[in-house]
Amino acid sequence: MFFLSLRDFILDKFKLHKHKTHDFTECVPGTDYVFEIAENLTTGYMTARGKGVKPDDYIFLQIGSEFCRYQVEQIDYYSNPPDMWMALIKNVTNE
């Protein structure tokens, strides 16, 4: 029996775009990444490690039982360690 989860379906759908999708749904908040909601509730700040995240890329997070899709608006990489970054991300789950 073939079963495609909603998360897998959404990830496959967005692989067609030229921007990469980075899946953090299996990662542990507070350990693998830090996510903080900004003042307007549709944007947030995320700090994590990993190379290749660029502006306009998508990030999938699981917040509670919800799967949320964000788009990177701005990103800055740290100099040490060089794969650590902080990004301003916008919730685009319903777009």
Side-chain angles (χ1 to χ4, degrees), residues 66-85:
E66 304 253 342
F67 290 98
C68 301
R69 182 173 73 125
Y70 289 85
Q71 189 166 26
V72 177
E73 292 193 333
Q74 297 175 357
I75 187 165
D76 291 310
Y77 278 87
Y78 288 78
S79 59
N80 190 14
D83 66 339
M84 183 174 272
W85 50 264

Side-chain angles (χ1 to χ4, degrees), residues 2-47:
F2 179 75
F3 177 74
L4 183 65
S5 72
L6 177 60
R7 177 175 86 49
D8 292 337
F9 173 77
I10 292 170
L11 288 173
D12 286 342
K13 179 180 175 186
F14 290 104
K15 285 180 184 174
L16 300 175
H17 293 282
K18 64 180 181 175
H19 304 293
K20 287 185 180 179
T21 297
H22 306 275
D23 184 5
F24 282 82
T25 58
E26 302 284 327
C27 297
V28 178
T31 301
D32 297 321
Y33 69 90
V34 175
F35 175 74
E36 298 173 336
I37 296 286
E39 292 176 16
N40 63 9
L41 301 178
T42 62
T43 59
Y45 294 97
M46 182 172 173
T47 303

Side-chain angles (χ1 to χ4, degrees), residues 49-69:
R49 293 183 75 164
K51 295 182 179 181
V53 180
K54 298 178 181 144
D56 297 322
D57 281 358
Y58 295 99
I59 293 176
F60 276 97
L61 298 175
Q62 183 173 358
I63 300 174
S65 61
E66 304 253 342
F67 290 98
C68 301
R69 182 173 73 125

